[in-house]
Amino acid sequence: IKPATFGVRHNHSIMPQKLDIKMREPALVNSETGSCFDATEVDLVKGRAGGHGSLPAKVVDVSAFSLSRRTSRKTPGTFMRKGAGNTGTYTAEMDSVSVAKKTKMKDYQAYAERPNPPNTEFRRFYERGDLPVQVDHGGVHNRIAWKVGIDKLDFHHYLPIFFDGLRELEEPYCFLATQGVYDMMETGFSKVLPVIPQLIIPIKTALNT
């Protein structure tokens, strides 16, 4: 039995249709992992979150920290000659010259993008299966399915890990960390106060990225 051929009849012959389907590859935020089911090789990830090593460096002004001053050697051609100046004279060309607007000097490092490597504690614990959470794909929006009651969790151990995952940009780490912090703060608000000293470093790291 020959398989059926689907096509368009043209000039009393069947011309097979050409399916031209272009698949667009999803853009990866972090190139260290191909999908959410791959394990990130944290040992190969270099750099520190919010570090200044990769930021552009500016030339240090020597006169700002010492009595010495950087000058350039003067040559006879740099001095103004007799009759070359226009002091006290007025010409029509002066009106057409536009005055350059002074721009505010900005610290370039303050506006530069700081590194955010995918080496969070939340990613490492989630890929090992040590976190009692999984994504519950609902009909309208996703939720977190907790495998253990939130009130039974050790907040001193889990809450700093979830706060460290707030700087994640890749799914499902971003959703699980953000929604996990909301659920733990809402359900176990009475256990948050003793854990605040342990949340300072994760919050500071997230703010530096």
Side-chain angles (χ1 to χ4, degrees):
I1 302 175
K2 295 183 179 181
T5 304
F6 298 93
V8 180
R9 186 175 299 275
H10 180 69
N11 293 335
H12 303 286
S13 63
I14 298 179
M15 300 293 293
Q17 291 182 349
K18 182 180 180 181
L19 299 179
D20 188 8
I21 301 177
K22 296 181 180 179
M23 301 299 293
R24 180 179 300 176
E25 297 182 358
L28 299 178
V29 178
N30 300 315
S31 59
E32 287 76 12
T33 174
S35 67
C36 60
F37 301 102
D38 295 340
T40 307
E41 298 180 0
V42 183
D43 298 336
L44 301 179
V45 178
K46 303 299 181 181
R48 183 175 61 89
H52 299 269
S54 61
L55 297 180
K58 299 178 63 176
V59 180
V60 180
D61 188 6
V62 182
S63 60
F65 303 98
S66 62
L67 298 178
S68 60
R69 184 178 180 183
R70 183 176 299 175
T71 59
S72 58
R73 184 179 179 86
K74 299 291 185 180
T75 59
T78 57
F79 294 97
M80 183 177 296
R81 299 181 180 180
K82 182 179 179 181
N86 53 4
T87 305
T89 59
Y90 172 80
T91 58
E93 297 178 355
M94 294 182 179
D95 295 338
S96 60
V97 177
S98 60
V99 180
K101 296 182 180 179
K102 295 183 179 180
T103 57
K104 182 180 179 181
M105 183 176 293
K106 299 179 181 179
D107 188 3
Y108 191 76
Q109 291 188 357
Y111 293 91
E113 183 179 359
R114 298 189 179 182
N116 185 16
N119 55 358
T120 60
E121 292 294 322
F122 180 84
R123 180 185 289 253
R124 186 166 64 90
F125 275 80
Y126 179 75
E127 291 178 350
R128 291 193 318 187
D130 294 341
L131 298 180
V133 293
Q134 65 182 17
V135 181
D136 182 12
H137 299 281
V140 180
H141 56 83
N142 296 336
R143 294 177 298 179
I144 291 184
W146 293 87
K147 303 176 183 178
V148 183
I150 301 178
D151 53 344
K152 299 180 181 180
L153 292 176
D154 184 8
F155 274 53
H156 286 272
H157 175 69
Y158 286 105
L159 193 58
I161 296 176
F162 277 84
F163 264 87
D164 190 29
L166 292 178
R167 63 182 179 90
E168 284 284 354
L169 301 177
E170 191 174 354
E171 299 294 344
Y173 315 104
C174 177
F175 167 73
L176 288 174
T178 305
Q179 190 62 36
V181 170
Y182 286 149
D183 294 348
M184 295 180 71
M185 297 283 285
E186 181 180 0
T187 304
F189 57 90
S190 59
K191 300 181 179 180
V192 176
L193 185 59
V195 196
I196 290 180
Q198 302 181 25
L199 303 180
I200 296 176
I201 294 180
I203 294 176
K204 181 181 178 181
T205 305
L207 292 175
N208 285 335
T209 56

